[in-house]
Amino acid sequence: MAMTTNQAEPGARLRRAAIASLLWVLTITASAGQAVVLAHGKRDIPPYALDPLAQALRASGYTVVTPEMPWSARRNFDADHAQALAILVDAVTKLRADGATAVFVGGHGLGGNTALAAATRVPVDGVELIAPAHAPDATAFAARVSDSVRQARDLVARGDGAKAVGLLDFDHRATHEIRITAAQYLSYFSPDGTAAMSLSAARLAPSVPVLWIYGMWDVLRDDGLDLFFSRLPPNVKHRRVALVNLMGNTPKAAVAEVTDWLSEVAPSR
């Protein structure tokens, strides 16, 4: 005859309780570890270019979150930069609420740009910029999109900011058209907006260290020193790394540098 719950032997109940306690401890331990939020670059699709880095970090024990951003190939700039920032801020906040003891934010391309901006809006333990790009406050970038910025401003001034139009993006040293509302466009391309890396750098808390890695083929290289890196508040843990690597594989080539840097700046694990 089958035993009821109340009739179960004391040893079985103790074993079940022990297993439940162990699972609870393991859950808390996993959630209380260190975490990294990584934002992909423009028009990327899963598995993102950042995937080799994400996998390496997971193998090292980090919890890694890789949200789909508004500039993915699927979404194609369907939300403004404020909403993109909110995605990263919310991811960091949730990891903290889940018990993460340290949370880092980083990204590739426009994802790196946005990670730096997000770090001025939510407490993080460090920022990893992997070939960051999209610099509306850089002279060369601004010159390539100036006509579209002017057109977007005119539309907003006329009350047509929610109208989707074809405007220019500047990426990989070339311009191409994207269909986007004028208001959304300005949120990404205004030289004094939230995507301006020079402004984000100056607003970062002095306690937050930044790792900046770029390859020999990346758009933002030594010129990024004046644009944003020299504007960061002084921190002895800031690091700038130039890689000699193949075109387009900076996230993969950066794995060792990122993991080493995180092990240096992260609280004791």
PDB file of all heavy atoms in Angstrom, residues 35-39 65-70 75 81-100 103-105 114-115 117-124:
ATOM      1  N   ALA A  35      28.060  39.328 -12.816  1.00  0.00           N
ATOM      2  CA  ALA A  35      27.298  39.319 -14.057  1.00  0.00           C
ATOM      3  C   ALA A  35      27.778  40.385 -15.024  1.00  0.00           C
ATOM      4  O   ALA A  35      28.341  41.412 -14.621  1.00  0.00           O
ATOM      5  CB  ALA A  35      25.813  39.517 -13.750  1.00  0.00           C
ATOM      6  N   VAL A  36      27.527  40.132 -16.298  1.00  0.00           N
ATOM      7  CA  VAL A  36      27.906  41.062 -17.364  1.00  0.00           C
ATOM      8  C   VAL A  36      26.731  41.215 -18.317  1.00  0.00           C
ATOM      9  O   VAL A  36      26.147  40.218 -18.758  1.00  0.00           O
ATOM     10  CB  VAL A  36      29.130  40.563 -18.151  1.00  0.00           C
ATOM     11  CG1 VAL A  36      29.538  41.582 -19.214  1.00  0.00           C
ATOM     12  CG2 VAL A  36      30.296  40.268 -17.217  1.00  0.00           C
ATOM     13  N   VAL A  37      26.376  42.452 -18.634  1.00  0.00           N
ATOM     14  CA  VAL A  37      25.368  42.751 -19.647  1.00  0.00           C
ATOM     15  C   VAL A  37      26.104  43.218 -20.896  1.00  0.00           C
ATOM     16  O   VAL A  37      26.902  44.155 -20.834  1.00  0.00           O
ATOM     17  CB  VAL A  37      24.397  43.844 -19.162  1.00  0.00           C
ATOM     18  CG1 VAL A  37      23.347  44.144 -20.240  1.00  0.00           C
ATOM     19  CG2 VAL A  37      23.719  43.431 -17.863  1.00  0.00           C
ATOM     20  N   LEU A  38      25.862  42.560 -22.026  1.00  0.00           N
ATOM     21  CA  LEU A  38      26.549  42.888 -23.269  1.00  0.00           C
ATOM     22  C   LEU A  38      25.544  43.285 -24.339  1.00  0.00           C
ATOM     23  O   LEU A  38      24.592  42.548 -24.615  1.00  0.00           O
ATOM     24  CB  LEU A  38      27.359  41.689 -23.763  1.00  0.00           C
ATOM     25  CG  LEU A  38      28.565  41.264 -22.919  1.00  0.00           C
ATOM     26  CD1 LEU A  38      29.171  39.983 -23.489  1.00  0.00           C
ATOM     27  CD2 LEU A  38      29.609  42.373 -22.879  1.00  0.00           C
ATOM     28  N   ALA A  39      25.753  44.447 -24.970  1.00  0.00           N
ATOM     29  CA  ALA A  39      24.877  44.944 -26.031  1.00  0.00           C
ATOM     30  C   ALA A  39      25.565  44.778 -27.383  1.00  0.00           C
ATOM     31  O   ALA A  39      26.697  45.228 -27.576  1.00  0.00           O
ATOM     32  CB  ALA A  39      24.532  46.409 -25.789  1.00  0.00           C
ATOM     33  N   VAL A  65      24.122  38.420 -19.850  1.00  0.00           N
ATOM     34  CA  VAL A  65      22.850  38.767 -20.472  1.00  0.00           C
ATOM     35  C   VAL A  65      23.139  39.504 -21.772  1.00  0.00           C
ATOM     36  O   VAL A  65      23.937  40.452 -21.788  1.00  0.00           O
ATOM     37  CB  VAL A  65      22.002  39.650 -19.532  1.00  0.00           C
ATOM     38  CG1 VAL A  65      20.694  40.055 -20.195  1.00  0.00           C
ATOM     39  CG2 VAL A  65      21.733  38.926 -18.225  1.00  0.00           C
ATOM     40  N   THR A  66      22.514  39.074 -22.866  1.00  0.00           N
ATOM     41  CA  THR A  66      22.743  39.705 -24.173  1.00  0.00           C
ATOM     42  C   THR A  66      21.393  40.086 -24.789  1.00  0.00           C
ATOM     43  O   THR A  66      20.865  39.374 -25.645  1.00  0.00           O
ATOM     44  CB  THR A  66      23.499  38.763 -25.123  1.00  0.00           C
ATOM     45  OG1 THR A  66      22.781  37.522 -25.236  1.00  0.00           O
ATOM     46  CG2 THR A  66      24.899  38.479 -24.610  1.00  0.00           C
ATOM     47  N   PRO A  67      20.808  41.195 -24.367  1.00  0.00           N
ATOM     48  CA  PRO A  67      19.477  41.571 -24.857  1.00  0.00           C
ATOM     49  C   PRO A  67      19.501  41.986 -26.323  1.00  0.00           C
ATOM     50  O   PRO A  67      20.521  42.464 -26.836  1.00  0.00           O
ATOM     51  CB  PRO A  67      19.108  42.751 -23.959  1.00  0.00           C
ATOM     52  CG  PRO A  67      20.438  43.350 -23.571  1.00  0.00           C
ATOM     53  CD  PRO A  67      21.366  42.187 -23.429  1.00  0.00           C
ATOM     54  N   GLU A  68      18.385  41.795 -26.991  1.00  0.00           N
ATOM     55  CA  GLU A  68      18.266  42.314 -28.360  1.00  0.00           C
ATOM     56  C   GLU A  68      18.024  43.812 -28.278  1.00  0.00           C
ATOM     57  O   GLU A  68      17.124  44.272 -27.575  1.00  0.00           O
ATOM     58  CB  GLU A  68      17.118  41.641 -29.105  1.00  0.00           C
ATOM     59  CG  GLU A  68      17.024  42.136 -30.551  1.00  0.00           C
ATOM     60  CD  GLU A  68      15.901  41.468 -31.340  1.00  0.00           C
ATOM     61  OE1 GLU A  68      15.015  40.839 -30.719  1.00  0.00           O
ATOM     62  OE2 GLU A  68      15.922  41.580 -32.585  1.00  0.00           O
ATOM     63  N   MET A  69      18.820  44.573 -29.009  1.00  0.00           N
ATOM     64  CA  MET A  69      18.740  46.025 -28.962  1.00  0.00           C
ATOM     65  C   MET A  69      17.912  46.558 -30.140  1.00  0.00           C
ATOM     66  O   MET A  69      17.704  45.859 -31.131  1.00  0.00           O
ATOM     67  CB  MET A  69      20.151  46.615 -28.965  1.00  0.00           C
ATOM     68  CG  MET A  69      21.043  46.118 -27.829  1.00  0.00           C
ATOM     69  SD  MET A  69      20.353  46.408 -26.170  1.00  0.00           S
ATOM     70  CE  MET A  69      20.464  48.202 -26.045  1.00  0.00           C
ATOM     71  N   PRO A  70      17.456  47.812 -30.077  1.00  0.00           N
ATOM     72  CA  PRO A  70      16.605  48.354 -31.144  1.00  0.00           C
ATOM     73  C   PRO A  70      17.264  48.410 -32.513  1.00  0.00           C
ATOM     74  O   PRO A  70      16.560  48.535 -33.528  1.00  0.00           O
ATOM     75  CB  PRO A  70      16.278  49.768 -30.638  1.00  0.00           C
ATOM     76  CG  PRO A  70      16.402  49.680 -29.155  1.00  0.00           C
ATOM     77  CD  PRO A  70      17.538  48.726 -28.917  1.00  0.00           C
ATOM     78  N   ARG A  75      14.978  44.379 -35.663  1.00  0.00           N
ATOM     79  CA  ARG A  75      14.221  45.524 -35.165  1.00  0.00           C
ATOM     80  C   ARG A  75      14.463  46.792 -35.992  1.00  0.00           C
ATOM     81  O   ARG A  75      13.567  47.629 -36.121  1.00  0.00           O
ATOM     82  CB  ARG A  75      14.571  45.774 -33.687  1.00  0.00           C
ATOM     83  CG  ARG A  75      14.147  44.635 -32.778  1.00  0.00           C
ATOM     84  CD  ARG A  75      14.357  44.971 -31.315  1.00  0.00           C
ATOM     85  NE  ARG A  75      13.587  46.143 -30.903  1.00  0.00           N
ATOM     86  CZ  ARG A  75      13.566  46.633 -29.668  1.00  0.00           C
ATOM     87  NH1 ARG A  75      14.293  46.041 -28.719  1.00  0.00           N
ATOM     88  NH2 ARG A  75      12.846  47.688 -29.374  1.00  0.00           N
ATOM     89  N   HIS A  81      16.905  56.038 -28.543  1.00  0.00           N
ATOM     90  CA  HIS A  81      18.065  55.719 -27.731  1.00  0.00           C
ATOM     91  C   HIS A  81      17.724  55.653 -26.250  1.00  0.00           C
ATOM     92  O   HIS A  81      18.335  54.881 -25.503  1.00  0.00           O
ATOM     93  CB  HIS A  81      19.178  56.746 -27.984  1.00  0.00           C
ATOM     94  CG  HIS A  81      20.521  56.289 -27.518  1.00  0.00           C
ATOM     95  ND1 HIS A  81      21.261  56.960 -26.572  1.00  0.00           N
ATOM     96  CD2 HIS A  81      21.265  55.204 -27.860  1.00  0.00           C
ATOM     97  CE1 HIS A  81      22.403  56.319 -26.362  1.00  0.00           C
ATOM     98  NE2 HIS A  81      22.430  55.256 -27.130  1.00  0.00           N
ATOM     99  N   ALA A  82      16.753  56.435 -25.814  1.00  0.00           N
ATOM    100  CA  ALA A  82      16.337  56.371 -24.410  1.00  0.00           C
ATOM    101  C   ALA A  82      15.807  54.979 -24.075  1.00  0.00           C
ATOM    102  O   ALA A  82      16.080  54.438 -22.990  1.00  0.00           O
ATOM    103  CB  ALA A  82      15.271  57.428 -24.133  1.00  0.00           C
ATOM    104  N   GLN A  83      15.062  54.388 -24.997  1.00  0.00           N
ATOM    105  CA  GLN A  83      14.545  53.039 -24.764  1.00  0.00           C
ATOM    106  C   GLN A  83      15.669  52.006 -24.803  1.00  0.00           C
ATOM    107  O   GLN A  83      15.639  51.014 -24.075  1.00  0.00           O
ATOM    108  CB  GLN A  83      13.466  52.717 -25.794  1.00  0.00           C
ATOM    109  CG  GLN A  83      12.184  53.520 -25.588  1.00  0.00           C
ATOM    110  CD  GLN A  83      11.210  53.364 -26.737  1.00  0.00           C
ATOM    111  OE1 GLN A  83      11.311  54.023 -27.764  1.00  0.00           O
ATOM    112  NE2 GLN A  83      10.253  52.481 -26.555  1.00  0.00           N
ATOM    113  N   ALA A  84      16.658  52.243 -25.656  1.00  0.00           N
ATOM    114  CA  ALA A  84      17.819  51.349 -25.679  1.00  0.00           C
ATOM    115  C   ALA A  84      18.561  51.399 -24.348  1.00  0.00           C
ATOM    116  O   ALA A  84      18.973  50.367 -23.801  1.00  0.00           O
ATOM    117  CB  ALA A  84      18.751  51.744 -26.821  1.00  0.00           C
ATOM    118  N   LEU A  85      18.730  52.596 -23.819  1.00  0.00           N
ATOM    119  CA  LEU A  85      19.373  52.743 -22.516  1.00  0.00           C
ATOM    120  C   LEU A  85      18.573  52.031 -21.430  1.00  0.00           C
ATOM    121  O   LEU A  85      19.145  51.376 -20.548  1.00  0.00           O
ATOM    122  CB  LEU A  85      19.500  54.227 -22.169  1.00  0.00           C
ATOM    123  CG  LEU A  85      20.566  55.018 -22.926  1.00  0.00           C
ATOM    124  CD1 LEU A  85      20.388  56.510 -22.690  1.00  0.00           C
ATOM    125  CD2 LEU A  85      21.951  54.579 -22.493  1.00  0.00           C
ATOM    126  N   ALA A  86      17.256  52.134 -21.522  1.00  0.00           N
ATOM    127  CA  ALA A  86      16.404  51.502 -20.519  1.00  0.00           C
ATOM    128  C   ALA A  86      16.562  49.984 -20.525  1.00  0.00           C
ATOM    129  O   ALA A  86      16.491  49.344 -19.469  1.00  0.00           O
ATOM    130  CB  ALA A  86      14.940  51.877 -20.755  1.00  0.00           C
ATOM    131  N   ILE A  87      16.795  49.397 -21.701  1.00  0.00           N
ATOM    132  CA  ILE A  87      17.004  47.951 -21.781  1.00  0.00           C
ATOM    133  C   ILE A  87      18.216  47.550 -20.942  1.00  0.00           C
ATOM    134  O   ILE A  87      18.174  46.582 -20.176  1.00  0.00           O
ATOM    135  CB  ILE A  87      17.197  47.511 -23.249  1.00  0.00           C
ATOM    136  CG1 ILE A  87      15.890  47.655 -24.025  1.00  0.00           C
ATOM    137  CG2 ILE A  87      17.705  46.073 -23.327  1.00  0.00           C
ATOM    138  CD1 ILE A  87      16.037  47.415 -25.519  1.00  0.00           C
ATOM    139  N   LEU A  88      19.308  48.292 -21.069  1.00  0.00           N
ATOM    140  CA  LEU A  88      20.527  47.967 -20.330  1.00  0.00           C
ATOM    141  C   LEU A  88      20.382  48.289 -18.847  1.00  0.00           C
ATOM    142  O   LEU A  88      20.812  47.504 -17.990  1.00  0.00           O
ATOM    143  CB  LEU A  88      21.717  48.716 -20.929  1.00  0.00           C
ATOM    144  CG  LEU A  88      22.024  48.429 -22.401  1.00  0.00           C
ATOM    145  CD1 LEU A  88      23.318  49.111 -22.819  1.00  0.00           C
ATOM    146  CD2 LEU A  88      22.121  46.925 -22.659  1.00  0.00           C
ATOM    147  N   VAL A  89      19.785  49.427 -18.540  1.00  0.00           N
ATOM    148  CA  VAL A  89      19.574  49.793 -17.137  1.00  0.00           C
ATOM    149  C   VAL A  89      18.694  48.760 -16.450  1.00  0.00           C
ATOM    150  O   VAL A  89      18.978  48.324 -15.323  1.00  0.00           O
ATOM    151  CB  VAL A  89      18.949  51.203 -17.038  1.00  0.00           C
ATOM    152  CG1 VAL A  89      18.479  51.483 -15.609  1.00  0.00           C
ATOM    153  CG2 VAL A  89      19.954  52.258 -17.476  1.00  0.00           C
ATOM    154  N   ASP A  90      17.626  48.333 -17.119  1.00  0.00           N
ATOM    155  CA  ASP A  90      16.727  47.340 -16.528  1.00  0.00           C
ATOM    156  C   ASP A  90      17.439  46.002 -16.326  1.00  0.00           C
ATOM    157  O   ASP A  90      17.210  45.307 -15.323  1.00  0.00           O
ATOM    158  CB  ASP A  90      15.498  47.136 -17.419  1.00  0.00           C
ATOM    159  CG  ASP A  90      14.559  48.337 -17.400  1.00  0.00           C
ATOM    160  OD1 ASP A  90      14.742  49.215 -16.544  1.00  0.00           O
ATOM    161  OD2 ASP A  90      13.651  48.384 -18.249  1.00  0.00           O
ATOM    162  N   ALA A  91      18.301  45.619 -17.277  1.00  0.00           N
ATOM    163  CA  ALA A  91      19.034  44.358 -17.147  1.00  0.00           C
ATOM    164  C   ALA A  91      19.966  44.392 -15.938  1.00  0.00           C
ATOM    165  O   ALA A  91      20.045  43.427 -15.168  1.00  0.00           O
ATOM    166  CB  ALA A  91      19.826  44.076 -18.422  1.00  0.00           C
ATOM    167  N   VAL A  92      20.667  45.516 -15.771  1.00  0.00           N
ATOM    168  CA  VAL A  92      21.563  45.666 -14.615  1.00  0.00           C
ATOM    169  C   VAL A  92      20.756  45.626 -13.318  1.00  0.00           C
ATOM    170  O   VAL A  92      21.118  44.941 -12.352  1.00  0.00           O
ATOM    171  CB  VAL A  92      22.358  46.981 -14.715  1.00  0.00           C
ATOM    172  CG1 VAL A  92      23.115  47.256 -13.411  1.00  0.00           C
ATOM    173  CG2 VAL A  92      23.335  46.936 -15.891  1.00  0.00           C
ATOM    174  N   THR A  93      19.656  46.359 -13.296  1.00  0.00           N
ATOM    175  CA  THR A  93      18.818  46.429 -12.097  1.00  0.00           C
ATOM    176  C   THR A  93      18.280  45.060 -11.711  1.00  0.00           C
ATOM    177  O   THR A  93      18.262  44.689 -10.531  1.00  0.00           O
ATOM    178  CB  THR A  93      17.654  47.404 -12.328  1.00  0.00           C
ATOM    179  OG1 THR A  93      18.182  48.702 -12.661  1.00  0.00           O
ATOM    180  CG2 THR A  93      16.786  47.526 -11.085  1.00  0.00           C
ATOM    181  N   LYS A  94      17.845  44.280 -12.697  1.00  0.00           N
ATOM    182  CA  LYS A  94      17.315  42.942 -12.417  1.00  0.00           C
ATOM    183  C   LYS A  94      18.402  42.021 -11.870  1.00  0.00           C
ATOM    184  O   LYS A  94      18.157  41.245 -10.940  1.00  0.00           O
ATOM    185  CB  LYS A  94      16.700  42.335 -13.674  1.00  0.00           C
ATOM    186  CG  LYS A  94      16.030  40.988 -13.423  1.00  0.00           C
ATOM    187  CD  LYS A  94      15.376  40.431 -14.657  1.00  0.00           C
ATOM    188  CE  LYS A  94      14.581  39.162 -14.330  1.00  0.00           C
ATOM    189  NZ  LYS A  94      15.373  38.144 -13.625  1.00  0.00           N
ATOM    190  N   LEU A  95      19.588  42.100 -12.438  1.00  0.00           N
ATOM    191  CA  LEU A  95      20.685  41.261 -11.938  1.00  0.00           C
ATOM    192  C   LEU A  95      21.016  41.615 -10.492  1.00  0.00           C
ATOM    193  O   LEU A  95      21.274  40.728  -9.667  1.00  0.00           O
ATOM    194  CB  LEU A  95      21.919  41.440 -12.831  1.00  0.00           C
ATOM    195  CG  LEU A  95      21.818  40.776 -14.206  1.00  0.00           C
ATOM    196  CD1 LEU A  95      22.909  41.300 -15.131  1.00  0.00           C
ATOM    197  CD2 LEU A  95      21.911  39.256 -14.079  1.00  0.00           C
ATOM    198  N   ARG A  96      21.000  42.892 -10.169  1.00  0.00           N
ATOM    199  CA  ARG A  96      21.223  43.305  -8.774  1.00  0.00           C
ATOM    200  C   ARG A  96      20.126  42.731  -7.877  1.00  0.00           C
ATOM    201  O   ARG A  96      20.403  42.189  -6.796  1.00  0.00           O
ATOM    202  CB  ARG A  96      21.205  44.828  -8.676  1.00  0.00           C
ATOM    203  CG  ARG A  96      22.325  45.541  -9.390  1.00  0.00           C
ATOM    204  CD  ARG A  96      23.593  45.556  -8.588  1.00  0.00           C
ATOM    205  NE  ARG A  96      24.554  46.480  -9.179  1.00  0.00           N
ATOM    206  CZ  ARG A  96      25.856  46.399  -9.003  1.00  0.00           C
ATOM    207  NH1 ARG A  96      26.374  45.446  -8.240  1.00  0.00           N
ATOM    208  NH2 ARG A  96      26.679  47.269  -9.571  1.00  0.00           N
ATOM    209  N   ALA A  97      18.877  42.851  -8.336  1.00  0.00           N
ATOM    210  CA  ALA A  97      17.759  42.364  -7.539  1.00  0.00           C
ATOM    211  C   ALA A  97      17.822  40.852  -7.350  1.00  0.00           C
ATOM    212  O   ALA A  97      17.373  40.322  -6.320  1.00  0.00           O
ATOM    213  CB  ALA A  97      16.440  42.751  -8.204  1.00  0.00           C
ATOM    214  N   ASP A  98      18.396  40.155  -8.318  1.00  0.00           N
ATOM    215  CA  ASP A  98      18.529  38.700  -8.236  1.00  0.00           C
ATOM    216  C   ASP A  98      19.721  38.274  -7.379  1.00  0.00           C
ATOM    217  O   ASP A  98      19.972  37.079  -7.217  1.00  0.00           O
ATOM    218  CB  ASP A  98      18.668  38.095  -9.635  1.00  0.00           C
ATOM    219  CG  ASP A  98      17.370  38.129 -10.418  1.00  0.00           C
ATOM    220  OD1 ASP A  98      16.307  38.351  -9.801  1.00  0.00           O
ATOM    221  OD2 ASP A  98      17.400  37.955 -11.654  1.00  0.00           O
ATOM    222  N   GLY A  99      20.477  39.252  -6.880  1.00  0.00           N
ATOM    223  CA  GLY A  99      21.543  38.939  -5.951  1.00  0.00           C
ATOM    224  C   GLY A  99      22.949  39.009  -6.487  1.00  0.00           C
ATOM    225  O   GLY A  99      23.895  38.603  -5.809  1.00  0.00           O
ATOM    226  N   ALA A 100      23.133  39.510  -7.709  1.00  0.00           N
ATOM    227  CA  ALA A 100      24.486  39.612  -8.259  1.00  0.00           C
ATOM    228  C   ALA A 100      25.342  40.520  -7.378  1.00  0.00           C
ATOM    229  O   ALA A 100      24.908  41.606  -6.984  1.00  0.00           O
ATOM    230  CB  ALA A 100      24.445  40.149  -9.682  1.00  0.00           C
ATOM    231  N   VAL A 103      28.084  43.801 -11.131  1.00  0.00           N
ATOM    232  CA  VAL A 103      27.486  43.804 -12.463  1.00  0.00           C
ATOM    233  C   VAL A 103      28.278  44.755 -13.359  1.00  0.00           C
ATOM    234  O   VAL A 103      28.515  45.918 -13.000  1.00  0.00           O
ATOM    235  CB  VAL A 103      26.006  44.240 -12.436  1.00  0.00           C
ATOM    236  CG1 VAL A 103      25.415  44.176 -13.847  1.00  0.00           C
ATOM    237  CG2 VAL A 103      25.200  43.370 -11.490  1.00  0.00           C
ATOM    238  N   PHE A 104      28.688  44.242 -14.504  1.00  0.00           N
ATOM    239  CA  PHE A 104      29.409  45.026 -15.503  1.00  0.00           C
ATOM    240  C   PHE A 104      28.522  45.191 -16.731  1.00  0.00           C
ATOM    241  O   PHE A 104      27.667  44.344 -17.013  1.00  0.00           O
ATOM    242  CB  PHE A 104      30.711  44.322 -15.898  1.00  0.00           C
ATOM    243  CG  PHE A 104      31.657  44.114 -14.751  1.00  0.00           C
ATOM    244  CD1 PHE A 104      31.530  43.011 -13.917  1.00  0.00           C
ATOM    245  CD2 PHE A 104      32.666  45.033 -14.484  1.00  0.00           C
ATOM    246  CE1 PHE A 104      32.388  42.820 -12.845  1.00  0.00           C
ATOM    247  CE2 PHE A 104      33.528  44.859 -13.416  1.00  0.00           C
ATOM    248  CZ  PHE A 104      33.384  43.752 -12.596  1.00  0.00           C
ATOM    249  N   VAL A 105      28.749  46.277 -17.454  1.00  0.00           N
ATOM    250  CA  VAL A 105      27.989  46.501 -18.677  1.00  0.00           C
ATOM    251  C   VAL A 105      28.981  46.793 -19.803  1.00  0.00           C
ATOM    252  O   VAL A 105      30.009  47.445 -19.594  1.00  0.00           O
ATOM    253  CB  VAL A 105      26.977  47.658 -18.503  1.00  0.00           C
ATOM    254  CG1 VAL A 105      27.669  48.982 -18.229  1.00  0.00           C
ATOM    255  CG2 VAL A 105      26.064  47.773 -19.711  1.00  0.00           C
ATOM    256  N   THR A 114      26.332  52.748 -26.150  1.00  0.00           N
ATOM    257  CA  THR A 114      25.169  52.786 -25.274  1.00  0.00           C
ATOM    258  C   THR A 114      25.486  52.232 -23.895  1.00  0.00           C
ATOM    259  O   THR A 114      24.916  52.679 -22.887  1.00  0.00           O
ATOM    260  CB  THR A 114      24.003  52.035 -25.930  1.00  0.00           C
ATOM    261  OG1 THR A 114      23.797  52.565 -27.252  1.00  0.00           O
ATOM    262  CG2 THR A 114      22.718  52.191 -25.132  1.00  0.00           C
ATOM    263  N   ALA A 115      26.395  51.266 -23.822  1.00  0.00           N
ATOM    264  CA  ALA A 115      26.814  50.755 -22.518  1.00  0.00           C
ATOM    265  C   ALA A 115      27.454  51.851 -21.683  1.00  0.00           C
ATOM    266  O   ALA A 115      27.217  51.959 -20.471  1.00  0.00           O
ATOM    267  CB  ALA A 115      27.784  49.589 -22.702  1.00  0.00           C
ATOM    268  N   ALA A 117      26.888  55.063 -21.924  1.00  0.00           N
ATOM    269  CA  ALA A 117      25.820  55.975 -21.499  1.00  0.00           C
ATOM    270  C   ALA A 117      24.987  55.363 -20.379  1.00  0.00           C
ATOM    271  O   ALA A 117      24.605  56.050 -19.425  1.00  0.00           O
ATOM    272  CB  ALA A 117      24.934  56.328 -22.687  1.00  0.00           C
ATOM    273  N   ALA A 118      24.714  54.067 -20.477  1.00  0.00           N
ATOM    274  CA  ALA A 118      23.919  53.395 -19.441  1.00  0.00           C
ATOM    275  C   ALA A 118      24.638  53.417 -18.097  1.00  0.00           C
ATOM    276  O   ALA A 118      23.996  53.514 -17.042  1.00  0.00           O
ATOM    277  CB  ALA A 118      23.613  51.962 -19.858  1.00  0.00           C
ATOM    278  N   ALA A 119      25.958  53.335 -18.134  1.00  0.00           N
ATOM    279  CA  ALA A 119      26.743  53.318 -16.897  1.00  0.00           C
ATOM    280  C   ALA A 119      26.681  54.643 -16.153  1.00  0.00           C
ATOM    281  O   ALA A 119      27.076  54.713 -14.985  1.00  0.00           O
ATOM    282  CB  ALA A 119      28.199  52.967 -17.204  1.00  0.00           C
ATOM    283  N   THR A 120      26.180  55.694 -16.801  1.00  0.00           N
ATOM    284  CA  THR A 120      25.986  56.972 -16.110  1.00  0.00           C
ATOM    285  C   THR A 120      24.603  57.057 -15.475  1.00  0.00           C
ATOM    286  O   THR A 120      24.298  58.030 -14.808  1.00  0.00           O
ATOM    287  CB  THR A 120      26.167  58.158 -17.082  1.00  0.00           C
ATOM    288  OG1 THR A 120      25.075  58.182 -18.026  1.00  0.00           O
ATOM    289  CG2 THR A 120      27.479  58.057 -17.834  1.00  0.00           C
ATOM    290  N   ARG A 121      23.790  56.019 -15.692  1.00  0.00           N
ATOM    291  CA  ARG A 121      22.403  56.039 -15.223  1.00  0.00           C
ATOM    292  C   ARG A 121      22.079  54.965 -14.195  1.00  0.00           C
ATOM    293  O   ARG A 121      21.011  55.004 -13.594  1.00  0.00           O
ATOM    294  CB  ARG A 121      21.458  55.897 -16.419  1.00  0.00           C
ATOM    295  CG  ARG A 121      21.441  57.144 -17.301  1.00  0.00           C
ATOM    296  CD  ARG A 121      20.899  56.862 -18.684  1.00  0.00           C
ATOM    297  NE  ARG A 121      20.719  58.103 -19.437  1.00  0.00           N
ATOM    298  CZ  ARG A 121      21.713  58.798 -19.984  1.00  0.00           C
ATOM    299  NH1 ARG A 121      22.947  58.369 -19.886  1.00  0.00           N
ATOM    300  NH2 ARG A 121      21.473  59.931 -20.636  1.00  0.00           N
ATOM    301  N   VAL A 122      22.965  53.998 -14.029  1.00  0.00           N
ATOM    302  CA  VAL A 122      22.732  52.927 -13.062  1.00  0.00           C
ATOM    303  C   VAL A 122      24.095  52.498 -12.517  1.00  0.00           C
ATOM    304  O   VAL A 122      25.084  52.482 -13.261  1.00  0.00           O
ATOM    305  CB  VAL A 122      22.004  51.740 -13.731  1.00  0.00           C
ATOM    306  CG1 VAL A 122      22.851  51.086 -14.803  1.00  0.00           C
ATOM    307  CG2 VAL A 122      21.542  50.721 -12.707  1.00  0.00           C
ATOM    308  N   PRO A 123      24.195  52.195 -11.237  1.00  0.00           N
ATOM    309  CA  PRO A 123      25.491  51.788 -10.670  1.00  0.00           C
ATOM    310  C   PRO A 123      25.990  50.486 -11.301  1.00  0.00           C
ATOM    311  O   PRO A 123      25.275  49.488 -11.342  1.00  0.00           O
ATOM    312  CB  PRO A 123      25.178  51.608  -9.178  1.00  0.00           C
ATOM    313  CG  PRO A 123      23.965  52.427  -8.928  1.00  0.00           C
ATOM    314  CD  PRO A 123      23.159  52.336 -10.188  1.00  0.00           C
ATOM    315  N   VAL A 124      27.212  50.517 -11.792  1.00  0.00           N
ATOM    316  CA  VAL A 124      27.864  49.318 -12.337  1.00  0.00           C
ATOM    317  C   VAL A 124      29.273  49.240 -11.770  1.00  0.00           C
ATOM    318  O   VAL A 124      29.804  50.218 -11.246  1.00  0.00           O
ATOM    319  CB  VAL A 124      27.908  49.333 -13.879  1.00  0.00           C
ATOM    320  CG1 VAL A 124      26.515  49.306 -14.474  1.00  0.00           C
ATOM    321  CG2 VAL A 124      28.696  50.530 -14.403  1.00  0.00           C
TER     322      VAL A 124
END
